[in-house]
Amino acid sequence: MNDILPEETPVWRHLEACIQGVLHRYGFREIRLPIVEHTELFARSIGAVTDIVEKEMYTFTDRNGDSLSLRPEGTASCVRAGEEHGLLYNQEQRLWYRGPMFRHERPQKGRYRQFHQVGVEVFGLEGPDIDAELLLLCARLWRELGLSDQVQLQLNSLGDLEARHRYRDALVAYLQRHLDALDEDARRRLDTNPLRILDTKNPQTQAVLEQAPVLWDHLEAPAKRHFEALCTRLSDCGVAFEVNPRLVRGLDYYGKTVFEWVTDSLGAQGTVCAGGRYDGLVEQLGGRATPAVGFAMGLERLVLMLCQLGPDAAVASDAPDLYLLAAAPEQEGPIQQLAETLRTQLPHLAFQVHMGGGSMKSKMKKADRSGAEAALLMGADELASASVTLKPLRTGEEQVRIPQSELTARLAERARRAPEHPSTG
C-alpha cells in the first residue's frame, strides 16, 4: 500500500476528470459503494476457488461474529447495491464507480495491495451493441489521454455456461495427458478452475496449451453470432483488436464477451482495463435474471503511462496563479483581506498568501518556488495608495503597480490572455 503525494495528485486528478467526462458523455451515472462487504458476497460471485477468494482477500470477523472483507473488486458490490435498492429488474442502468480495492497479492510495477479502480457496469441490455459501446468508450478515453498508441485490445468469447462445461471437460482430458509438463499451479487448478490455466505465464505450460482444445469450437451458434456482431461493429467504427482464444478472466461470473486492454509500455505486458459480460451474476446473487456487462480499469498503471508521456501531457498544475506577500507585518492583514476579496471575485483563479514572515528575499524565493505566474506585493506605499504591485515571475515583463479598484478586471484579462491556465484541468 502506498501514499499518493502532492507532487503526484495533479496527474491523478487529470486522469479522473478525463474518465468522468467521457462517462458523462456516454450517459453513465455515478454510484458510490462501501469498501467493506460480507465475505459471502465475493465467495458467491467471484468464485470460492479463485485465487482472489482463496489467497488474496483481506477478511476479518467483526464484533458480531460476521465475516467481512475489504472489496477486491467492485462488480459484486454494484450488483448487491442495485438489487438492494430496486435498480435492476426490468430496467436499463448505466453505472460507474471509483475508489480503492484490496488484494493481498505480490506487488509489482504499477500494482499495489491497495489499488484504485474505476468500474463501469451496464444492466438490462443483452445485445452486442452495448458490448461495442463500452469498447468504443474506452477507445475514446485512450485518445483523449494520448495513450492510444500504447494499448491494444484483445477479445474472446467464453460462450454460455453449458459451452464452458463442455470445454472444461475437453480441456481437463487433454491436460491430464500432459500432467508431467504442467507446473504446480496448473496441476492445482486442474481440479478447481481449469480455464484459469489458459492464463498461465509459465512458458512450459504455455507450450502444452499450444495444442489444447479451443473454446470457440465448443460455443453454440447464438454466442458465436453475438461475438461476430461485436467484432463487426468494432471494425466498422475503426477500433483495432486481436481475437485471443486463450483469453479468460479470473472471475467465475464471466460469460460470452471478455476483453482486455493490454500494454507493454511498462515492461512485461500488463492489463490496464478488462471486463466482459456477466449475464448470470444478478440471478446468482439472488435477483431475477438480468443481462449485464462491464469493465474496470486500474488507475495506478494509467498514471504511470501518463507520466511516461513527459511534460507535453495535458496535466494541470497544482501551482497557484498568484502569490501574495506583504513587505512588512503592517501589510499582512490587508494583503490577506485582499486575497479573500479576489477569491470571491475570481473563483477560477488560485491565490496563495505568504505566511511565516521572513526577509523580502526569502519571501520572493518562496513565491518563485510556488510555481505561480506572478506575485502581488504590498508595501507601505501600496497600502497608502490602495494599490498593489504585480511582479511577473515566469516572463521578462516589468512589474507594474495597479490600483485595487482595477485589480480584478486586470487579473481577469491577464488570465484570458494566458495560453493555458495552470489551475485548469
Side-chain angles (χ1 to χ4, degrees):
M1 301 184 185
N2 68 311
D3 301 304
I4 300 171
L5 302 178
E7 292 76 15
E8 303 168 298
T9 52
V11 69
W12 280 82
R13 287 203 309 276
H14 168 68
L15 173 61
E16 291 163 351
C18 284
I19 294 172
Q20 184 171 348
V22 170
L23 288 169
H24 173 72
R25 282 145 52 198
Y26 277 75
F28 284 82
R29 299 187 300 157
E30 183 182 10
I31 184 171
R32 301 195 175 191
L33 306 164
I35 63 172
V36 176
E37 299 274 6
H38 288 282
T39 304
E40 181 188 12
L41 174 68
F42 301 117
R44 291 173 62 193
S45 60
I46 297 172
V49 294
T50 58
D51 283 352
I52 294 174
V53 172
E54 284 186 327
K55 299 186 293 187
E56 296 175 0
M57 286 206 307
Y58 286 91
T59 298
F60 60 95
T61 302
D62 72 359
R63 293 184 178 183
N64 294 327
D66 295 326
S67 178
L68 304 178
S69 294
L70 298 178
R71 60 185 184 190
E73 58 95 41
T75 300
S77 295
C78 192
V79 171
R80 189 269 312 151
E83 187 63 25
E84 186 175 315
H85 298 284
L87 302 178
L88 302 185
Y89 178 62
N90 206 26
Q91 300 177 66
E92 177 185 332
Q93 296 287 353
R94 302 183 183 211
L95 305 174
W96 74 276
Y97 50 86
R98 60 182 161 188
M101 310 291 168
F102 304 84
R103 295 185 192 178
H104 191 280
E105 58 184 348
R106 181 173 61 85
Q108 52 186 282
K109 187 174 184 179
R111 182 167 291 179
Y112 301 92
R113 289 173 178 171
Q114 175 178 310
F115 57 98
H116 297 80
Q117 283 187 344
V118 166
V120 176
E121 317 289 358
V122 178
F123 300 97
L125 296 171
E126 60 184 355
D129 50 355
I130 189 61
D131 298 15
E133 179 92 335
L134 291 184
L135 293 168
L136 292 170
L137 183 158
C138 291
R140 182 171 300 279
L141 177 63
W142 309 142
R143 290 196 298 272
E144 296 198 2
L145 291 171
L147 298 176
S148 293
D149 294 340
Q150 300 186 46
V151 293
Q152 301 82 42
L153 174 60
Q154 296 186 356
L155 290 178
N156 194 21
S157 177
L158 301 182
D160 57 22
L161 188 60
E162 291 75 16
R164 289 197 299 281
H165 283 164
R166 289 194 301 271
Y167 176 65
R168 174 192 170 117
D169 293 342
L171 180 63
V172 169
Y174 170 81
L175 292 175
Q176 283 178 337
R177 298 196 298 270
H178 300 83
L179 279 177
D180 293 343
L182 299 180
D183 60 34
E184 181 181 347
D185 190 54
R187 288 195 294 270
R188 180 181 63 83
R189 284 175 164 162
L190 196 58
D191 296 325
T192 57
N193 198 351
L195 266 63
R196 290 292 289 138
I197 299 174
L198 299 176
D199 200 32
T200 181
K201 302 299 186 288
N202 183 285
Q204 186 173 341
T205 303
Q206 286 178 336
V208 173
L209 292 171
E210 288 296 326
Q211 302 301 319
V214 178
L215 179 55
W216 180 263
D217 296 335
H218 295 76
L219 300 188
E220 297 286 358
K224 289 184 176 181
R225 286 196 297 269
H226 184 106
F227 188 71
E228 289 166 349
L230 168 61
C231 293
T232 298
R233 284 181 180 255
L234 293 176
S235 296
D236 290 346
C237 291
V239 176
F241 60 89
E242 173 193 351
V243 176
N244 178 359
R246 305 297 183 195
L247 175 63
V248 294
R249 300 293 302 134
L251 311 178
D252 280 359
Y253 52 63
Y254 283 113
K256 290 186 179 177
T257 305
V258 288
F259 61 85
E260 291 186 357
W261 292 90
V262 299
T263 183
D264 54 12
S265 67
L266 300 176
Q269 187 178 87
T271 303
V272 296
C273 175
R277 184 161 281 282
Y278 52 96
D279 293 338
L281 182 58
V282 176
E283 189 174 19
Q284 183 179 324
L285 293 179
R288 301 192 188 187
T290 302
V293 61
F295 67 80
M297 60 181 67
L299 300 189
E300 277 81 1
R301 289 193 165 184
L302 291 173
V303 165
L304 282 175
M305 294 169 68
L306 285 175
C307 290
Q308 290 183 348
L309 295 179
D312 292 334
V315 178
S317 168
D318 261 348
D321 296 282
L322 293 115
Y323 192 95
L324 286 71
L325 56 93
E330 295 77 32
Q331 296 95 45
E332 290 176 357
I335 199 74
Q336 193 165 29
Q337 294 171 33
L338 176 62
E340 287 302 298
T341 299
L342 293 173
R343 287 168 180 143
T344 299
Q345 296 174 344
L346 299 168
H348 59 291
L349 297 182
F351 300 91
Q352 181 176 338
V353 179
H354 176 84
M355 303 287 172
S359 67
M360 197 63 182
K361 182 178 180 180
S362 68
K363 293 175 183 178
M364 289 306 301
K365 283 185 177 180
K366 285 189 175 181
D368 187 59
R369 287 199 299 267
S370 75
E373 291 296 312
L376 291 178
L377 293 77
M378 183 182 289
D381 291 346
E382 287 88 354
L383 181 60
S385 61
S387 64
V388 66
T389 295
L390 186 145
K391 180 178 177 60
L393 299 174
R394 310 291 159 210
T395 68
E397 299 173 78
E398 294 292 327
Q399 67 181 37
V400 59
R401 185 174 293 187
I402 304 172
Q404 290 188 29
S405 60
E406 301 175 12
L407 185 58
T408 299
R410 296 279 289 273
L411 293 180
E413 177 61 26
R414 183 182 177 87
R416 281 193 293 270
R417 294 199 311 267
E420 184 173 345
H421 197 271
S423 294
T424 61

